[in-house]
Amino acid sequence: MENDRIFKGKIIALGVCGGIAAYKAVDLASKLTREGAGVKVIMTQNATRFVGPITFQSVTGQPVLTNLFDMESSANIGHVRISEEADILLIAPATANIIAKTAYGIADDALSTTILAARSTVVMVPAMNNHMWLNAAMQHNVEVLKSRGFHIIDPEIGRLACGEEAAVGRFPETSRIIDYVHGLFAHANDLKGTSILVTAGGTHEPIDPVRYIGNRSSGKMGYAIAEEAAARGADVTLISGPTALATPSCVARINVETAQQMYEAVMDNLEETEVVIMSAAVADVRPSIAKSEKIKKERMPKNIGLELNPDILHAIASEKAGGLIVGFAAESENMIEHATDKLQRKSLDLIVANDISIPGVGFGSDFNLAVLIDNNGPIGEPATYRKDELAEKILNWIKDALTQLQR
């Protein structure tokens, strides 16, 4: 794999936990080393039951830290020295145990202590049984880490060691992990100082205090964009409809409920914004009259009058003299044609067209079937992306477009 030598001279601390995927970390360590990185491995005691430290030492050419008392002296404590030297701390595989310990600040072995002392970016690559990954406590701990600025490469769907077929929890392919780390190095602070406004989630248009008109948006796409932009040094304001997602680290979040509230929040923050990314699924209509008291079932009207909500994208294009405006189009047919029409009607710089007709992608999913379209037409062919991968692709386009504007 050729990564334009961006790894050359970088120090990567590789934490390996006790799971069956530990053997795959050997390939990861080997390839990172061949790319030019200095790979320093820290293993938990359970990890050594799957792979011996000598294996990692052989492929990296570096000594391996397995407990708090290895490589220590009064002047240089092993885990502290590694945490200070590392450009990135990569935990792969990350078990449920290390994720929970990190979330609660527990440091009782070489790896957990290294994580607590880390000053660099920390990337975790969970791999475990699907029921463990989907457990509410696990998902809570992951959200805690994300809110603190940790990077999480979500596990893939596939056959697990326990025998489960097509289940989430599988250790990602080595190439995906390397590409992710490559992106962190390549795009570090490339949007520093850029003010970016992101809208996310759906809106709730109240019928009464109990019922509302809404949509299926989870907010995952907008939150992935906000997280990626902040990681690249941007000043990010996230205007969010109702969602269960945690606020990404270093992101200023404004909560709204209705389309009118989102409109007002966007316009209030527009003047100093260089890039607006409208990923929210804003309801097109709202009830003409919202009751202040709950409507009893037997008194529910057969027809509810509706009126149009403000067109936020149109308003932005009318008010904003410079900068970039990015929109989204969720389509079930003629995706490129309809999205291109929206791009032109709304005077956008870029539109992300999403095909929502395919099961397993789009609203509520971790994946989008999408294509980017600018004023020169579609950029490549529609493809399925993880939402964090699509966020990176969008921000790469934005970085290139800003560079062109500055020339």
Side-chain angles (χ1 to χ4, degrees), residues 71-273:
M71 301 163 51
E72 289 192 353
S73 70
S74 59
N76 275 319
I77 300 176
H79 63 277
V80 174
R81 186 169 69 252
I82 290 176
S83 66
E84 291 176 343
E85 293 175 345
D87 295 294
I88 279 182
L89 176 53
L90 174 62
I91 317 301
T95 57
N97 185 51
I98 198 68
I99 291 171
K101 288 202 294 187
T102 304
Y104 287 92
I106 297 171
D108 60 358
D109 63 6
L111 180 54
S112 58
T113 307
T114 302
I115 296 170
L116 201 61
R119 301 180 184 179
S120 59
T121 298
V122 181
V123 180
M124 287 197 168
V125 189
M128 63 193 71
N129 170 269
N130 58 316
H131 300 297
M132 293 176 68
W133 171 248
L134 296 173
N135 183 278
M138 168 58 59
Q139 291 302 308
H140 169 77
N141 292 338
V142 168
E143 291 301 323
V144 167
L145 295 184
K146 286 182 176 180
S147 71
R148 294 177 187 164
F150 285 67
H151 292 255
I152 308 293
I153 304 179
D154 287 342
E156 295 182 347
I157 296 172
R159 189 179 190 280
L160 306 183
C162 61
E164 290 275 3
E165 299 284 352
V168 64
R170 184 179 177 84
F171 190 72
E173 294 296 326
T174 299
S175 59
R176 181 180 163 210
I177 300 170
I178 292 178
D179 286 346
Y180 189 97
V181 176
H182 176 272
L184 291 177
F185 285 134
H187 304 306
N189 291 320
D190 65 349
L191 290 171
K192 186 174 179 61
T194 303
S195 55
I196 297 179
L197 187 153
V198 182
T199 66
T203 61
H204 290 178
E205 311 300 327
I207 297 171
D208 63 15
V210 177
R211 306 171 182 90
Y212 63 84
I213 296 173
N215 54 55
R216 301 178 187 277
S217 176
S218 65
K220 288 181 178 181
M221 186 70 250
Y223 276 64
I225 293 170
E227 182 176 2
E228 173 73 11
R232 294 166 71 158
D235 299 321
V236 182
T237 299
L238 174 65
I239 300 176
S240 176
T243 176
L245 300 174
T247 306
S249 180
C250 301
V251 168
R253 175 172 167 177
I254 300 171
N255 292 322
V256 299
E257 181 177 359
T258 67
Q260 181 64 36
Q261 292 169 354
M262 183 168 286
Y263 168 80
E264 292 170 0
V266 169
M267 301 310 289
D268 286 346
N269 288 275
L270 189 61
E271 185 175 353
E272 302 301 323
T273 299

